[in-house]
């Protein structure tokens, strides 16, 4: 068994799924977290195990501290430690600011920001004991520049960026690196709400004239988690085709 153990939140679909596949195929033992999509998570586990990878699945809402703690504990019980936490689970919603209800706001912050706090809080306690670890937060370019009609999403993702920078300063001397990836438009279920015309208009705004893929993000995670990124912490790295420069 490889000595590197990773938890990927929201890994049943989209970007998280590709991150789990990429890490597993590169020797990590992975815990695949999901909230609702048990059949998809089980299918991914079966696919990876058939390829000789070591993995397991864990159902839990990252926005709930007790469930986040159980997720991290599951990894430690199963593999002995946690070396890498990828905070990827997220939701999005497009609404005028004046239509955002307190419940909408709470749900968005709970999953996209409190979820990062919950999982990180539990994982860091273990990483501090080992004086090593890597945390990679999946934010968004909208956390960097703000998106009209996505104020709550942009606020949560900006919070993740602030948290990454502050925590990197606090944990550096303990051998723990904290970084953030800010994807642009990535082709996943999250983009399903857009019409072909809207997608075409968005693509025209992208200098490289392409949407990103989950693999683009997963390759960056693999690099940031590796020893090749040993001097990188507190950074926000975009993968957006040049949409935000
Ligand atoms: P997606 O295809 O909608 O998948 C979301 C994943 O998050 C699913 O596995 C889902 O689990 C999980 N999830 C949602 N709420 C959760 C919760 N409370 N607890 C645990 N898991 C939860 O989304 P995606 O496009 O892959 O996005 C992944 C991340 O990248 C998100 O943080 C998103 O904000 C960010 N991002 C995406 C884009 C993009 O264009 N797609 C751009 C920038 C940033 P279930 O399947 O069980 O529901």
């Amino acid at each position: 068994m490889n000595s590197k153990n990773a938890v990927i939140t929201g890994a049943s679909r989209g970007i998280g799924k590709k991150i789990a596949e990429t890490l597993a195929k590169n020797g990590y033992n992975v815990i695949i977290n999901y909230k609702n999509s048990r059949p998809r998570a089980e299918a991914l586990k079966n696919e990876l195990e058939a390829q000789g990878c070591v993995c397991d699945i864990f159902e839990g809402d990252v926005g709930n501290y007790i469930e986040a703690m159980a997720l991290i504990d599951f990894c430690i019980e199963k593999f002995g430690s946690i070396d890498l936490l990828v905070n990827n689970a997220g939701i999005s919603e497009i609404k005028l600011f004046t239509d955002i209800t307190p419940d909408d706001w709470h749900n968005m912050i709970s999953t996209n920001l409190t979820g990062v706090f919950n999982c990180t809080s539990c994982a860091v306690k273990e990483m501090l004991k080992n004086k090593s670890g890597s945390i990679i937060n999946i934010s968004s370019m909208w956390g960097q520049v703000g998106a009209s009609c996505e104020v709550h999403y942009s606020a949560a993702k900006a919070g993740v960026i602030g948290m990454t920078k502050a925590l990197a300063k606090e944990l550096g001397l303990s051998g723990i690196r904290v970084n953030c990836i800010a994807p642009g438009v990535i082709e996943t279920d999250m983009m399903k709400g857009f019409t072909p015309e809207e997608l075409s208009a968005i693509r025209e705004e992208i200098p490289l004239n392409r949407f990103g893929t989950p693999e683009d993000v997963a390759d960056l995670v693999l690099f940031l988690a590796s020893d090749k990124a040993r001097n990188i912490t507190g950074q926000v790295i975009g993968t957006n085709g040049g949409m935000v420069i």
Side-chain angles (χ1 to χ4, degrees):
M1 197 182 277
N2 187 296
S3 57
K4 294 277 182 190
N5 307 315
V7 170
I8 303 103
T9 68
S12 49
R13 297 183 278 127
I15 294 170
K17 178 182 180 205
K18 183 53 76 177
I19 293 170
E21 284 174 348
T22 303
L23 290 172
K25 287 175 189 173
N26 281 276
Y28 284 80
N29 309 315
V30 301
I31 301 295
I32 297 155
N33 159 252
Y34 64 98
K35 185 181 174 194
N36 301 305
S37 305
R38 185 175 189 91
R40 286 176 186 242
E42 282 174 342
L44 178 58
K45 175 176 151 77
N46 292 338
E47 172 201 315
L48 291 176
E49 285 182 342
Q51 294 172 46
C53 302
V54 179
C55 65
D56 211 336
I57 61 173
F58 190 89
E59 182 175 311
D61 176 356
V62 294
N64 177 312
Y65 191 85
I66 304 292
E67 292 180 31
M69 188 161 51
L71 165 65
I72 302 301
D73 284 350
F74 182 71
C75 178
I76 296 165
E77 278 160 26
K78 179 115 192 142
F79 300 143
S81 69
I82 175 168
D83 304 294
L84 169 64
L85 169 65
V86 184
N87 284 306
N88 165 80
I91 54 170
S92 66
E93 187 176 49
I94 295 183
K95 271 191 174 180
L96 283 172
F97 178 67
T98 46
D99 290 338
I100 294 174
T101 65
D103 273 353
D104 294 335
W105 177 267
H106 174 77
N107 288 340
M108 186 62 69
I109 299 296
S110 170
T111 302
N112 289 10
L113 182 56
T114 308
V116 178
F117 166 78
N118 289 344
C119 295
T120 304
S121 167
C122 299
V124 160
K125 287 175 184 133
E126 180 69 16
M127 289 177 177
L128 281 171
K129 286 187 211 158
N130 303 331
K131 286 225 162 253
S132 83
S134 173
I135 297 162
I136 300 173
N137 298 323
I138 309 299
S139 176
S140 162
M141 65 177 171
W142 300 133
Q144 297 175 292
V145 299
S148 166
C149 297
E150 293 189 73
V151 169
H152 50 350
Y153 182 80
S154 302
K157 293 298 188 181
V160 170
I161 290 173
M163 191 178 151
T164 301
K165 293 180 179 181
L167 197 56
K169 290 183 179 177
E170 191 168 322
L171 296 179
L173 279 179
S174 301
I176 302 167
R177 296 184 297 109
V178 189
N179 287 293
C180 184
I181 295 175
V185 181
I186 309 292
E187 285 182 311
T188 69
D189 290 349
M190 207 169 258
M191 297 305 296
K192 273 188 177 160
F194 291 93
T195 65
E197 293 73 31
E198 286 169 336
L199 288 173
S200 170
I202 295 169
R203 192 195 300 255
E204 278 174 24
E205 306 254 322
I206 303 175
L208 289 182
N209 193 35
R210 70 185 280 276
F211 293 132
T213 63
E215 195 173 9
D216 294 331
V217 183
D219 287 346
L220 202 44
V221 168
L222 185 64
F223 167 72
L224 284 174
S226 76
D227 194 51
K228 290 180 179 164
R230 58 192 166 270
N231 201 34
I232 300 176
T233 196
Q235 302 305 305
V236 181
I237 302 182
T239 171
N240 57 41
M243 197 166 171
V244 169
I245 291 178

